[in-house]
């Protein structure tokens, strides 16, 4: 730093300290006319806290020199500045941390963005459960204490063909509970080709040890035979287990043992077979042109004694883990102390019931079940929406970028059907200038994330891609209205 600049900075610092000493006192700010609407909205306590925090922030900024340079404001610590800062601080503090976003990642069941979106029927039921007392564990027929599973188990059984059912917090909890209740200190036989890790630290071997079960790995990564299961069964075996390879596929020289072979073996040895289906759909998705997935009913019919699956993946409901199967096994699972710890709340049950009921009218399912509606949208719809958005979007991002409408592929997500993709369409943005493309794209990606309702896309192959599959017509206007606020 040159001497002259150094002196100027020092002079600045002195001036700032002098101004800081005269900043309005807390009492003056709180008594000011401008503070009154803030007090009415947020309450005196929060306003006081915000004033003090703002003062502390100013002192810190002056001390550390953040404010010393380039500060052209002649009255940086006036009452007006204070009210501005306090208003902003209060607004930020009261903004919910859990915010609505636009999921334009192309992944419909995006775990990080909350997975399934629920239909209106579920929303209404949740609002009711939130605001009115309900018979959560109260048997209206007898006037006695009830069981929360009773509200929903017959519907689950009707839709899956199972004898009994129970619901817990998520599918990871379902697997943990099942293993804890049935295989503690015993062995569970699983093929090496099915020892999966689902995102977020759900790994079959780990969950086994947490449940106190001993994993008996059999076969190899690519090939497991019925004789491998036969050889592994011994006096300590509690369970034969199959796990859906949700998020990966093995191809080439492979062999796995289907339930058609495994169930008879298990029956012959007097052992139950459990299947962790992961996504677990209740209907055959092939009828809508989607890739086929084993349904829960087909899995039960093929001889699984227990099946676990998620509520918020292909089923399209709230976060939950469903366990269906033989009556005596479900009864044993329900008696385990962990069931109490992993049970679902009333909001989950309230949301799950109307979603399940939609499956009774398969004719309307594609329209009414949000997840299915999104998964089955034709690419032409997304293409038209992209064409509508393109001119405004191009104007908002400026000449440094070139946007176009291009075909792309969506993913189902949440580990379902990892190799299958859905034809879609959306906006693709490339950096128009020479060089620095990576940084420019990251800047745009961040600017989109900083919008009032953040827009989440993805960068791939030197372009930012916004897949419009999950932008339904009702949301298009809100999406476009934000373009003007884009700060690049
Ligand atoms: C997704 C998945 C889980 C975990 O389910 P959550 O509902 O996310 O807890 C477990 N097993 C398989 C095979 C899965 O695909």
């Amino acid at each position: 730093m040159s001497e002259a600049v150094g002196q100027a900075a020092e002079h600045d610092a002195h001036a700032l300290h002098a101004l800081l000493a005269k900043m309005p006192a807390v009492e003056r700010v709180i008594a000011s006319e401008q503070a009154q609407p803030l007090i009415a909205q947020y309450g005196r306590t929060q306003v006081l806290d915000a004033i003090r925090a703002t003062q502390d922030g100013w002192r810190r900024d002056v001390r550390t020199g953040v404010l010393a340079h380039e500060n052209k404001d002649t009255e940086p610590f006036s009452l007006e500045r204070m009210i501005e800062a306090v208003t902003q601080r209060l607004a930020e503090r009261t903004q919910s941390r859990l915010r609505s976003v636009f999921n334009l990642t192309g992944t419909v069941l995006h775990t990080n963005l909350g997975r399934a979106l629920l239909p209106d029927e579920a929303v209404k039921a949740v609002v009711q459960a939130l605001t009115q007392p309900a018979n959560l564990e109260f048997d209206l027929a007898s006037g006695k204490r009830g069981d929360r599973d009773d509200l929903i188990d017959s519907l689950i059984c009707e839709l899956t063909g199972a004898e009994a059912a129970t619901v817990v917090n998520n599918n990871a909890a379902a697997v943990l509970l099942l293993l804890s209740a049935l295989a503690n200190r015993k062995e569970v036989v699983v093929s090496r080709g099915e020892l999966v890790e689902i995102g977020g630290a759900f790994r079959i071997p780990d969950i086994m040890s947490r449940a106190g079960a001993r994993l008996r790995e059999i076969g190899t990564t690519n090939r497991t035979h019925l004789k491998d299961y036969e050889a592994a069964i011994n006096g300590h075996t509690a369970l034969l287990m199959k796990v859906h390879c949700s998020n990966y596929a093995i191809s080439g020289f492979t062999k796995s043992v289907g339930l058609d072979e495994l169930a008879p073996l298990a029956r012959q040895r007097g052992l139950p077979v459990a299947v962790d289906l992961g996504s677990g759909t209740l209907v055959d998705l092939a009828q809508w042109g989607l890739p086929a997935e084993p349904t829960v009913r087909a899995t039960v019919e093929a001889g699984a004694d227990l099946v676990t699956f998620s509520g918020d993946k292909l089923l399209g409901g709230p976060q939950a883990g469903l366990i269906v199967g033989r009556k005596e096994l479900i009864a044993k699972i329900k008696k385990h102390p962990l069931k109490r710890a992993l049970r679902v709340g009333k909001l989950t049950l309230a949301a799950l019931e109307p979603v399940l009921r939609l499956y009774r009218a398969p004719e309307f399912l594609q329209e009414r079940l949000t997840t299915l509606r999104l998964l089955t949208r034709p690419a032409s719809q997304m293409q038209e929406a992209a064409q509508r958005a393109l001119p405004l979007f191009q104007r908002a991002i400026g000449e440094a970028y070139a946007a176009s409408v291009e075909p792309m592929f969506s993913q189902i997500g949440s580990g379902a059907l990892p190799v299958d993709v859905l034809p879609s369409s959306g906006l693709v943005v490339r950096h128009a200038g020479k060089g620095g493309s990576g940084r420019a794209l990251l800047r745009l990606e961040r600017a989109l994330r900083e919008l009032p309702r953040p827009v989440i896309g993805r960068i791939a192959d030197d372009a930012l891609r916004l897949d419009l599959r999950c932008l339904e017509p009702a949301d298009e206007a809100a999406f476009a209205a934000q373009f003007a606020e884009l700060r690049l």
Side-chain angles (χ1 to χ4, degrees):
M1 200 189 309
S2 78
E3 202 168 311
V5 175
Q7 276 172 2
E10 205 155 293
H11 178 79
D12 263 6
H14 279 304
L16 277 172
H17 277 292
L19 285 170
L20 190 61
K22 285 196 282 178
M23 84 179 154
V26 175
E27 300 76 46
R28 194 178 143 221
V29 182
I30 198 88
S32 71
E33 200 181 314
Q34 298 98 306
Q36 301 319 303
L38 296 175
I39 295 172
Q41 185 178 352
Y42 299 104
R44 198 180 158 81
T45 311
Q46 290 203 89
V47 177
L48 276 173
D49 286 347
I51 296 169
R52 292 198 183 103
T54 302
Q55 289 188 336
D56 290 346
W58 284 353
R59 286 191 195 103
R60 195 170 46 244
D61 288 351
V62 169
R63 198 171 55 241
T64 57
V66 174
L67 269 181
H69 305 288
E70 300 171 30
N71 185 46
K72 310 265 183 324
D73 198 338
T74 50
E75 278 197 76
F77 310 121
S78 63
L79 179 65
E80 278 61 42
R81 292 281 174 281
M82 172 63 78
I83 294 292
E84 259 171 43
V86 166
T87 305
Q88 192 184 347
R89 190 176 282 271
L90 288 166
E92 275 168 16
R93 269 171 55 98
T94 29
Q95 177 172 58
S96 176
R97 296 293 301 273
L98 183 67
R99 289 164 64 190
S100 293
V101 303
F102 287 103
N103 171 13
L104 305 190
T105 60
T107 299
V108 177
L109 295 168
H110 199 301
T111 297
N112 305 139
L113 301 179
R115 290 194 186 160
L117 304 176
L118 273 68
D120 287 345
E121 293 88 336
V123 176
K124 286 200 194 93
V126 169
V127 170
Q128 264 194 24
L130 275 166
T131 52
Q132 292 166 12
N135 59 330
L136 178 63
E137 287 189 345
F138 184 81
D139 181 12
L140 291 171
S142 67
K144 299 216 169 80
R145 191 195 160 133
D147 176 341
R148 61 185 69 200
D149 280 336
D150 291 350
L151 298 168
I152 208 154
D153 59 1
S154 59
L155 183 51
I156 298 173
C157 291
E158 176 192 321
L159 296 170
T160 61
E163 287 175 15
T166 184
V167 184
V168 288
N169 185 52
N170 53 24
N171 189 33
V175 176
L176 176 68
L177 176 60
L178 183 156
L179 292 171
S180 304
L182 303 180
N184 188 250
R185 295 157 180 262
K186 296 238 180 98
E187 289 183 7
V188 179
V189 184
V190 188
S191 160
R192 288 194 172 90
E194 298 174 8
L195 293 176
V196 301
E197 172 182 310
I198 316 292
F202 175 89
R203 302 169 120 189
I204 291 294
D206 296 346
I207 218 130
M208 287 273 174
S209 56
R210 283 286 156 197
R214 278 201 302 279
L215 172 61
R216 182 70 189 253
E217 303 177 25
I218 58 160
T220 60
T221 306
N222 58 329
R223 288 173 73 84
T224 300
H225 307 273
L226 189 65
K227 62 177 194 290
D228 296 323
Y229 285 93
E230 279 177 301
I233 295 171
N234 62 51
H236 302 291
T237 310
L239 204 60
L240 308 183
M241 187 168 177
K242 281 190 69 66
V243 183
H244 189 283
C245 299
S246 295
N247 48 8
Y248 76 106
I250 299 180
S251 60
F253 185 54
T254 63
K255 162 87 176 107
S256 65
V257 179
L259 274 177
D260 54 331
E261 289 181 89
L262 196 56
L265 171 68
R267 202 144 307 134
Q268 188 199 336
R269 302 294 184 92
L271 291 167
V273 185
V275 179
D276 175 15
L277 264 190
S279 206
T281 167
L282 297 179
V283 282
D284 180 11
L285 298 172
Q287 62 186 298
W288 293 286
L290 293 168
E293 266 284 287
T295 64
V296 179
R297 180 181 288 277
T299 310
V300 169
E301 278 170 4
D305 299 291
L306 288 164
V307 185
T308 60
F309 53 104
S310 290
D312 56 354
K313 292 186 181 173
L314 284 172
L315 194 146
Q319 180 189 306
L322 288 78
I323 313 177
V324 305
R326 292 222 323 265
K327 213 176 193 150
E328 67 278 12
L329 295 174
I330 295 288
K332 205 165 168 193
I333 286 170
K334 287 181 64 156
K335 275 202 216 94
H336 193 275
L338 261 184
K339 167 68 163 88
R340 172 65 179 76
L342 302 173
R343 75 182 185 189
V344 285
K346 62 180 177 177
L347 303 185
T348 302
L349 289 170
L352 186 56
E353 189 184 354
V355 170
L356 290 174
R357 231 185 290 112
L358 291 179
Y359 282 89
R360 282 179 170 163
E363 302 81 1
F364 307 132
L365 204 57
Q366 185 184 12
E367 182 50 34
R368 295 183 184 168
L369 188 70
T370 314
T371 298
L372 191 57
R373 187 170 68 239
L374 292 174
L375 287 173
T376 57
R377 288 184 79 189
S380 60
Q381 274 187 19
M382 286 74 91
Q383 192 189 358
E384 285 159 21
Q387 294 290 3
R388 280 192 290 275
L390 183 64
L392 267 180
F393 186 65
Q394 179 63 67
R395 195 172 330 145
I397 57 180
E399 285 168 5
Y401 298 95
S404 56
V405 175
E406 291 183 23
M408 51 185 71
F409 289 100
S410 313
Q411 304 268 343
I412 293 175
S414 273
L417 325 146
V419 288
D420 298 295
V421 282
L422 317 167
S424 186
S425 184
L427 296 164
V428 176
V429 187
R430 293 186 178 81
H431 184 49
K434 282 214 177 71
S437 160
R439 283 235 300 282
L441 288 176
L442 285 172
R443 194 158 59 237
L444 177 60
E445 187 256 353
R446 191 180 62 220
L448 287 166
R449 254 191 294 123
E450 287 171 351
L451 286 169
R453 181 169 167 187
V455 172
I456 317 292
R458 75 193 155 88
I459 293 176
D461 303 328
D462 247 1
L464 177 76
R465 288 157 204 280
L466 304 178
D467 183 330
L468 298 196
R469 176 176 296 277
C470 295
L471 183 75
E472 292 211 89
D475 271 340
E476 271 182 47
F479 173 62
Q482 289 197 123
F483 293 166
E485 297 183 53
L486 203 61
R487 295 286 168 266
L488 275 161

